[in-house]
Amino acid sequence: MSNNFQQNLEKYANLAVQVGVNVQKGQTLVINTSIDAAEFVRLVVKKAYEVGAKHVYVNWNDDVVNRTKYDLAPDEAFQEFPQWKAREVEELAEGGAAFMSIVSSSPDLLKGVDPDRISNFQKVAGQAMSKYRQFIQSDKVSWCVLAAPSKDWAAKVFPDASEEEQVDLLWDAIFKAVRADQADPVQAWKDHDANLHEKVEYLNDKNYQKLHYTAPGTDLTIELPKGHLWVGAGSVNEQGVEFMANMPTEEVFTVPLKTGVNGKVSSTKPLSYGGNVIDNFTITFENGRIVDVKAEEGEEILKRLVETDEGSHYLGEIALVPHKSPISQSNVLFYNTLFDENASNHLAIGNAYAFCIEGGKKMSQEELDKNGLNNSITHVDFMIGSDKMNIDGIKEDGTSEPVFRDGGWAF
């Protein structure tokens, strides 16, 4: 590997620790990752201790081991989840730990596996981890999701390159997407954060009652709850410490009114979910509820996602990303939602973020329900944006004004 690669890797590890989870002196950091990312993870661990972390715990997993279980374990293995794992993360979260996920799985990891096994495990894991997920989705603790390449993932993204080149090309694409290739990535992120916050302030000032989306195969109206808040880029945890939940991030997002979604929406990028790819799909909504799904690829997996629980029949997030975002302009299809959602307007099936409504961080689940926020054990983003998408903001008096035109900001 070149010196340049090593420099970018160091910068990326710094970003993960200082901007991503923003590790504080004496804090515990928990890293969930794959053995494919070992070299990068070791560097992140070193950087975390250098800025004053007290403990860094690494939970390793392995794609081959995971796939072997899906192929060979008995059916009942996918209907239980170790409670001690859930208790461990709850205890760490209660103690103020920061959580980092470094993802690198192949998008096709579970291709051909019985969809029942996948959906059963998604359900039991979602239920067991629901208390921990509340910590994450209310921003009580610092958390960050980022990525490192694996051979199988790189082969999916760059099928025409030689095996040696594939991983290097994916590293370069990741470095670029997270600004690690810039001279001062930390400053670049500060500037980016400020830029996204301008959009957030504009949308919060407007306080639209509804958004109307139109594009080929899409005609969708989404009502917004009273007191909804647009947010983007940096977040702040309960202790007042800033962190960046996703690296990369190009989105500003809020919550829909659970029962206020009507019409039809078509996907514009493949969705990698449950170790499978779902592609060319349409979803139809009535009064918020998903009433029909069709997909050219992975329809069975998509139907089971919608059937996860009652809340997975509704939306929990709407996010705006200009088609000219750096990731979209790179023309790389990552087959990974962390990146692909930042190249495109997207929606999320499932749980709503409590911090997207005034006072939401302090609300009980019952209060969130009353305010029209969806509750589910799942949260899955899917991409709907293109250079042909227009979005209008509709005010309470019924007048409308452009928010997006031809896939870009209209203001």
Side-chain angles (χ1 to χ4, degrees), residues 143-146 189 233 244-249 251 338 341-342:
W143 58 283
C144 180
V145 183
L146 55 152
W189 270 90
M244 202 65 67
N246 286 358
M247 299 184 89
T249 184
E251 62 179 338
L338 176 64
E341 72 171 9
N342 285 301

Side-chain angles (χ1 to χ4, degrees), residues 150-167:
S150 65
K151 271 188 185 167
D152 288 349
W153 179 23
K156 178 85 175 173
V157 180
F158 297 105
D160 301 333
S162 72
E163 206 177 305
E164 290 75 56
E165 288 175 315
Q166 285 168 339
V167 171

